[in-house]
Amino acid sequence: AQSVTQLGSHVSVSEGALVLLRCNYSSSVPPYLFWYVQYPNQGLQLLLKYTSAATLVKGINGFEAEFKKSETSFHLTKPSAHMSDAAEYFCAVTRGSGTASKLTFGTGTRLQVTL
Amino acid sequence: GAVVSQHPSRVICKSGTSVKIECRSLDFQATTMFWYRQFPKQSLMLMATSNEGSKATYEQGVEKDKFLINHASLTLSTLTVTSAHPEDSSFYICSARPGNYEQYFGPGTRLTVT
């Protein structure tokens, strides 16, 4: 069964520092992987997605993620954190295929950005 | 593009009453819509999948008679929480999918049952 594991429920970085949010996946088939961001009391916004094309995926707000099959990882990075990046981040993987596909979410990582 | 709205954004209801939440895809047609529930500081839990014109498919452990889902058109799905109880208080999020895999999420509805 497809699943994702997010290491670290809470990550704190200084403004301007590198952001690294970890996600490892488990999938018996080539996965589609996603990173979403959620601000307080809001829905989810798609940051980026991997759909078996380029392994380095660039998303919005300066975020990117690299799909590493050998490590079963899809970590999210941003070179320089901004205060506005403080939010909850979810990694997700598709389970099922085609019209029957659904998303399985990780437990989330709360990113705190300090001055 | 790909905007999904939910109404209401917040609702307070009394125990024993029913409440309906609407989910609309504003600029695309969604063959499939999903309903999630999120408890404070937790991840999203898929409740059910609805396809236009057919019965919803509920995840294991979700009471279909309590959480009624109607996907009446390609742009509208509704979730009705029947005979609500305080333990139903939660953040409910819908998503809509125009194709095979990418989902677009609504802003969520916070339900408080008193």
Side-chain angles (χ1 to χ4, degrees), chain B residues 85-104:
Chain B
H85 291 284
E87 57 265 32
D88 298 325
S89 298
S90 190
F91 194 53
Y92 293 87
I93 303 175
C94 74
S95 70
R97 187 177 70 192
N100 283 349
Y101 61 88
E102 186 163 345
Q103 296 181 28
Y104 299 94

Side-chain angles (χ1 to χ4, degrees), chain B residues 31-89:
Chain B
T31 53
T32 306
M33 289 186 171
F34 302 86
W35 286 96
Y36 296 85
R37 184 173 181 176
Q38 185 179 33
F39 290 104
K41 299 185 179 181
Q42 293 190 28
S43 189
L44 279 72
M45 181 191 78
L46 179 64
M47 299 175 65
T49 303
S50 74
N51 293 291
E52 186 265 340
S54 61
K55 289 184 178 180
T57 303
Y58 291 80
E59 296 296 303
Q60 190 173 7
V62 178
E63 299 176 61
K64 62 179 181 180
D65 293 331
K66 181 167 187 61
F67 298 100
L68 301 179
I69 292 171
N70 183 17
H71 195 154
S73 74
L74 288 172
T75 59
L76 174 64
S77 176
T78 60
L79 168 68
T80 301
V81 183
T82 63
S83 186
H85 291 284
E87 57 265 32
D88 298 325
S89 298

